[in-house]
């Protein structure tokens, strides 16, 4: 290793040099290298938990006070990571919001470059219409709205419904890559089928239609239904009971939502998974490059983020910044929806995971 060169002693010439840099919109590297290239990620985003018990009543109040329609487009309340200076970003790359749609309300169609999904923690009765295909939204379902697909939502019932929206808005913002366009002022198809056309064509286990060959950038499955997710997780735990290797850690069942045309992630920028822990089970501590967001779907437990243990319950949302040590512990059976920016990091060869206890 070479000896460290000390920074120059303060002197008026040097002050003038730095002032001239600033005036010319330049900055010297040697005063900043440590901030620009820390030995390991030092995220500005912080670990944080938002409680469903506060989020939902606030969304309901917005429902009473704020109309939904053209202009504002969506009654969505974004989670603003306390480390990100008030930006409506749950992490540097991801957006997470609670969206609330009252009885008989319609959120008008539009499309944008940003990829989006909805995850439903409770309720039903809203259809999201994606490129003209009405997709029912029910508890436990994951619904996709890939970039540049027209989409609008309509509530057919006499009760409100709320759900989680996840998008890659911050990433698209930093890269100045976003385009946006209005669609029709309502929804193009207000019918209410149980099953979307996309699912009828694509959502049969292990079977892909011979029409539409070739890999697709986005999963063509508009809705991943709870009955399938639940059955897959239950089967892993049953197989474990029967002595077959089926779980990643003891008592920890996990699935990733995938694009059936590639076997890869559902959309180019967002990974989505579902995790189930038996009571008393825990995951191994780990650090990941990139950011994770969790929503408790059912049950309760503890999320360890760095040195802090957060008790979490149904609906709570959890932000895990890059490289923060994290692990989960279940009190009751714990069901957790998870999403991340892992496809971006992996595609760019920046992904790293570290499990301090080995294994
Ligand atoms: C959007 O289009 C939706 O379609 C949700 O439901 C949240 C946040 C920012 C910009 C567009 C939706 C959004 C959004």
């Amino acid at each position: 290793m070479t000896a460290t060169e000390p920074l120059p002693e303060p002197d008026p010439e040097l002050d003038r040099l730095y002032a001239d840099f600033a005036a010319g919109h330049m900055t010297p590297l040697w005063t900043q290298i440590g901030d620009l290239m820390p030995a390991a990620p030092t995220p500005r985003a912080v670990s944080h938990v938002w409680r469903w018990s506060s989020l939902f009543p606030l969304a309901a109040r917005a429902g009473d006070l704020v109309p939904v329609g053209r202009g504002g487009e969506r009654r969505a309340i974004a989670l603003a990571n306390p480390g990100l200076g008030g930006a409506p970003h749950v992490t540097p790359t991801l957006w997470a919001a609670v969206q609330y749609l009252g009885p008989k309300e319609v959120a008008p169609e539009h499309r944008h470059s940003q990829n989006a999904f909805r995850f439903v923690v409770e309720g039903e009765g809203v259809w999201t219409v994606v490129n003209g295909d009405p997709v029912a939204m029910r508890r436990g379902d994951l619904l996709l709205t890939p970039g540049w697909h027209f989409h609008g939502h309509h509530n057919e019932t006499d009760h409100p419904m709320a759900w989680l929206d996840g998008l890659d808005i911050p990433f698209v913002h930093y890269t100045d890559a976003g385009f946006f366009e209005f669609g029709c002022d309502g929804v193009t198809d207000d019918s209410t089928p149980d099953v979307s056309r996309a699912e009828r064509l694509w959502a049969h286990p292990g079977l892909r239609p011979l029409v539409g060959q070739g890999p697709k950038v986005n999963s063509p499955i508009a809705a991943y239904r709870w009955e399938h997710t639940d059955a897959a997780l239950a089967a892993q735990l049953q197989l474990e009971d029967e002595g077959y290797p089926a779980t990643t850690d003891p008592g920890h069942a996990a699935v990733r939502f995938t694009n059936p045309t590639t076997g890869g992630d559902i959309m180019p920028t967002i990974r989505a998974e579902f995790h189930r822990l038996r009571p008393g089970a825990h995951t191994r501590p780990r650090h990941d490059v990139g950011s994770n967001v969790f929503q408790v779907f059912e049950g309760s437990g503890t999320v360890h983020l760095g040195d802090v243990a957060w008790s979490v319950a149904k609906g709570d949302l959890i932000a895990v910044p890059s490289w923060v040590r994290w692990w989960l512990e279940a009190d009751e059976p714990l069901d957790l929806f998870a999403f991340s920016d892992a496809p971006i990091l992996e595609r760019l060869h920046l992904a790293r995971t570290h499990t301090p206890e080995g294994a």
Side-chain angles (χ1 to χ4, degrees):
M1 212 166 137
T2 52
T4 305
E5 285 289 339
L7 287 177
E9 293 297 321
D11 97 70
E13 269 306 306
L14 193 61
D15 289 347
R16 269 194 297 280
L17 177 66
Y18 287 172
D20 289 346
F21 285 157
H25 305 287
M26 293 174 261
T27 74
L29 172 64
W30 55 88
T31 61
Q32 295 183 338
I33 180 84
D35 293 337
L36 290 173
M37 295 195 183
T42 54
R44 280 204 309 140
V46 295
S47 303
H48 195 73
V49 174
W50 289 261
R51 306 281 171 200
W52 191 247
S53 58
S54 335
L55 292 171
F56 185 81
L58 287 168
R61 277 167 62 193
D64 289 337
L65 294 171
V66 183
V68 66
R70 193 51 93 209
E73 299 296 295
R74 301 295 186 256
R75 191 188 292 110
I77 301 126
L79 307 185
N81 188 293
L84 294 178
H89 302 166
V90 68
T91 75
T93 49
L94 297 169
W95 165 291
V98 177
Q99 183 166 168
Y100 187 94
L101 202 58
K104 303 286 190 259
E105 280 187 329
V106 180
E109 287 191 3
H110 63 210
R111 64 177 173 178
H112 37 70
S113 311
Q114 291 84 351
N115 295 285
F117 71 79
R118 337 256 155 235
F119 177 72
V120 183
V121 74
E122 62 189 15
E124 59 181 34
V126 169
W127 272 256
T128 180
V129 183
V130 181
N131 273 356
D133 188 10
V135 187
M137 297 175 62
R138 293 183 285 257
R139 172 165 159 79
D141 295 346
L142 172 69
L143 304 312
L144 304 189
T145 309
W148 215 239
H149 287 48
F150 278 113
H151 56 284
H153 323 303
H154 63 114
N155 185 344
E156 280 304 307
T157 71
D158 295 325
H159 52 262
M161 185 177 166
W163 61 85
L164 168 69
D165 288 317
L167 295 93
D168 54 12
I169 291 174
F171 179 73
V172 174
H173 177 76
Y174 293 131
T175 49
D176 287 326
F179 294 83
F180 177 93
E181 213 173 79
F182 293 127
C184 80
D185 279 339
V187 287
T188 45
D189 184 341
D190 66 0
S191 65
T192 56
D194 263 354
V195 186
S196 63
R197 292 193 291 274
E199 291 165 86
R200 289 163 59 199
L201 185 58
W202 285 99
H204 305 283
L207 301 170
R208 74 172 284 183
L210 292 193
V211 66
Q213 279 296 337
K216 293 175 190 295
V217 169
N218 301 298
S219 170
I221 301 179
Y224 293 76
R225 298 294 176 193
W226 174 240
E227 65 206 80
H228 302 301
T229 309
D230 183 38
L233 295 164
Q236 287 185 15
L237 294 180
Q238 274 160 11
L239 286 164
E240 183 182 55
D241 281 338
E242 293 166 23
Y244 291 96
T247 54
T248 48
D249 303 306
H252 174 198
V255 290
R256 182 168 300 162
F257 299 95
T258 58
N259 174 345
T261 74
T262 60
D265 286 294
I266 46 174
M267 295 185 292
T269 52
I270 299 177
R271 170 165 296 168
E273 297 180 344
F274 209 102
H275 295 256
R276 173 171 292 170
L277 272 73
R278 294 186 203 266
H282 62 87
T283 63
R284 277 172 290 182
R286 56 188 285 156
H287 304 244
D288 298 303
V289 165
S291 40
N292 283 286
V293 180
F294 304 135
Q295 186 174 33
V296 176
F297 179 66
E298 193 65 76
S300 65
T302 307
V303 183
H304 298 264
L305 302 171
D307 295 327
V308 182
W310 306 71
S311 290
V312 292
K314 179 175 166 180
D316 291 353
L317 281 143
I318 301 137
V320 187
S322 188
W323 216 239
V324 166
R325 180 177 184 269
W326 69 271
W327 56 290
L328 308 168
E329 243 183 318
D331 301 337
E332 307 171 58
L334 181 65
D335 273 3
L336 202 80
F337 173 74
F339 69 104
S340 77
D341 55 9
I344 302 175
L345 283 302
E346 288 180 4
R347 186 63 61 89
L348 300 180
H349 299 272
L350 293 168
R352 280 204 207 194
T353 292
H354 174 59
T355 47
E357 279 76 26

